[in-house]
Amino acid sequence: YSMYLFTFRNWYDFILILTSTAFVLSMAQQKVKIYRILCVINIALFILYDCFAGAYGNCVMHSVQLAVVLTGVLVRYIKTKREIPIQ
């Protein structure tokens, strides 16, 4: 697969470089909020690539992953908004 990544067999192979970059950047983050944002971007780019490449099985898998991550972000957001700060 990496051979096609650098030879750009198709125009949409460039999306793989973007997803790899988003993954590496997300792993380097120490702030959880930025990590989650980059994770969502990474999965969304994989969904886009899967659609262009005709890998519909992978597209379904990545869509489920995106739904799980977005649900986690939403639950975390609701949980932090309900907490009452102690002063």
Side-chain angles (χ1 to χ4, degrees), residues 19-83:
T19 56
S20 299
T21 304
F23 175 75
V24 170
L25 288 175
S26 69
M27 290 286 119
Q29 296 305 311
Q30 294 187 4
K31 292 185 178 181
V32 178
K33 184 177 182 179
I34 296 173
Y35 171 78
R36 287 189 181 121
I37 291 170
L38 289 171
C39 186
V40 168
I41 291 170
N42 187 19
I43 296 171
L45 286 171
F46 263 119
I47 291 171
L48 185 65
Y49 175 79
D50 292 339
C51 290
F52 284 129
Y56 302 113
N58 290 341
C59 187
V60 170
M61 179 189 69
H62 287 122
S63 297
V64 170
Q65 287 178 341
L66 183 63
V68 168
V69 169
L70 289 177
T71 302
V73 168
L74 183 62
V75 167
R76 174 87 173 152
Y77 176 76
I78 291 171
K79 186 177 180 180
T80 57
K81 290 298 177 185
R82 287 187 182 175
E83 293 176 359

